[in-house]
Amino acid sequence: LAQKKVVKNIKVGKRPRRFVLTADGSELWVTNELDASVSVVNTADHSVKATIKFAVQGMREADITPVGMAMSADGKTMWVGLGRANHVAEVDVASKKVGRQVLVGKRAWGLTLGPDGKTLFVANGLSDDMTLVDTAAAKALKTVAVGRVPHTVLVK
């Protein structure tokens, strides 16, 4: 930043959309909307250390379009919105393994965790609603109408 120069261009998947830096700053997670994946970049040497692929039963890979992410306060879990696949996926940060998936609304893309980490708020852009997910149970609690084409969720 001090030199205002690009240090390195890092090749990730197709159409990188959002990113989240881990609490210790060692990893940068990048969603690849047109690649059904997340790239994990090592910030020390700027290399891609892992690529996490997503699959949803009954969905074509082209319909799995990751965009938004939200990391748990303890840094152990990353929630990833799978876009047109209408699901969110739980990913273990240490192992980079995809765990449980939760069916939400159409085009899940904006994700935010509540302050206590117990509720994941998911903006569903094509169903004009938001789904609240119980993170412990990995279960949708309810879906509420929020207006046209919601994009981002802010929780205080």
Side-chain angles (χ1 to χ4, degrees):
L1 285 176
Q3 297 177 3
K4 296 181 175 66
K5 289 185 177 181
V6 174
V7 175
K8 182 177 182 182
N9 288 310
I10 304 165
K11 186 172 175 63
V12 293
K14 295 176 189 168
R15 196 169 187 201
R17 295 291 285 176
R18 306 255 174 92
F19 55 89
V20 173
L21 191 62
T22 56
D24 66 3
S26 67
E27 295 178 349
L28 181 71
W29 287 51
V30 181
T31 54
N32 304 308
E33 185 177 19
L34 300 182
D35 211 22
S37 69
V38 167
S39 297
V40 181
V41 176
N42 179 330
T43 58
D45 65 8
H46 308 116
S47 66
V48 175
K49 67 187 279 185
T51 300
I52 302 163
K53 293 292 280 184
F54 296 95
V56 177
Q57 188 173 357
M59 300 292 297
R60 297 175 303 176
E61 183 176 323
D63 289 328
I64 302 170
T65 54
V67 176
M69 291 183 288
M71 184 177 293
S72 63
D74 65 8
K76 293 180 179 179
T77 304
M78 184 74 75
W79 287 93
V80 181
L82 300 182
R84 289 191 313 244
N86 306 331
H87 282 75
V88 292
E90 178 185 47
V91 180
D92 179 77
V93 171
S95 69
K96 314 291 185 270
K97 299 290 183 195
V98 179
R100 303 173 295 177
Q101 295 180 354
V102 181
L103 178 64
V104 292
K106 293 180 183 175
R107 192 94 184 241
W109 54 15
L111 281 68
T112 300
L113 281 162
D116 63 5
K118 294 179 181 180
T119 306
L120 178 69
F121 298 84
V122 183
N124 303 307
L126 294 183
S127 54
D128 299 335
D129 55 28
M130 177 177 64
T131 302
L132 284 67
V133 174
D134 176 333
T135 58
K139 179 181 176 186
L141 298 171
K142 65 180 171 179
T143 298
V144 295
V146 294
R148 293 192 58 205
V149 195
H151 182 275
T152 304
V153 180
L154 176 62
V155 177
K156 281 186 149 189

